[in-house]
Amino acid sequence: MTTHLEHTGHDHVHGDDCGHQAVNHGDHVEYAHDGHLHRRHDGHWDECEPAGHTVHEGHDHHHSADCGHQTVPHGDHIDYLHDGHRHAEHGDHYDDH
């Protein structure tokens, strides 16, 4: 689940050729832009942020710069695309984003 936080003042229109990294996330596509992940929603752009803290249980793989998974800059950390979702290192585990 994600929070509904509208990204106001967003004049840029994301799409296939916009130059920003596209990320498939559940039922929508997000675009990495200025450390945020944006998604189209009802005629405007929302920040795509997880609601709460969701630990990804049973994640034995350790992500790193050379692990082979696509990276997405996200705020003050890096998310890794793995098995159709984003993982972010958090202490001694990974969170599901």
Side-chain angles (χ1 to χ4, degrees):
M1 162 146 300
T2 58
T3 59
H4 182 100
L5 178 62
E6 187 172 343
H7 183 80
T8 58
H10 190 77
D11 298 330
H12 178 75
V13 177
H14 293 291
D16 293 339
D17 298 321
C18 75
H20 294 108
Q21 184 175 7
V23 178
N24 291 318
H25 187 212
D27 63 351
H28 62 274
V29 175
E30 306 169 337
Y31 293 90
H33 184 188
D34 296 335
H36 306 268
L37 290 159
H38 300 162
R39 68 176 282 190
R40 183 104 173 122
H41 179 249
D42 290 339
H44 62 270
W45 293 94
D46 285 345
E47 302 284 349
C48 195
E49 295 297 329
H53 179 186
T54 305
V55 175
H56 184 79
E57 301 290 347
H59 188 73
D60 297 330
H61 176 76
H62 180 76
H63 292 292
S64 66
D66 59 353
C67 74
H69 293 109
Q70 184 179 3
T71 60
V72 179
H74 186 202
D76 64 353
H77 63 275
I78 299 291
D79 287 349
Y80 294 88
L81 301 180
H82 188 180
D83 295 335
H85 44 145
R86 295 181 284 131
H87 294 167
E89 191 168 6
H90 184 233
D92 62 351
H93 63 274
Y94 285 91
D95 287 347
D96 232 351
H97 276 188

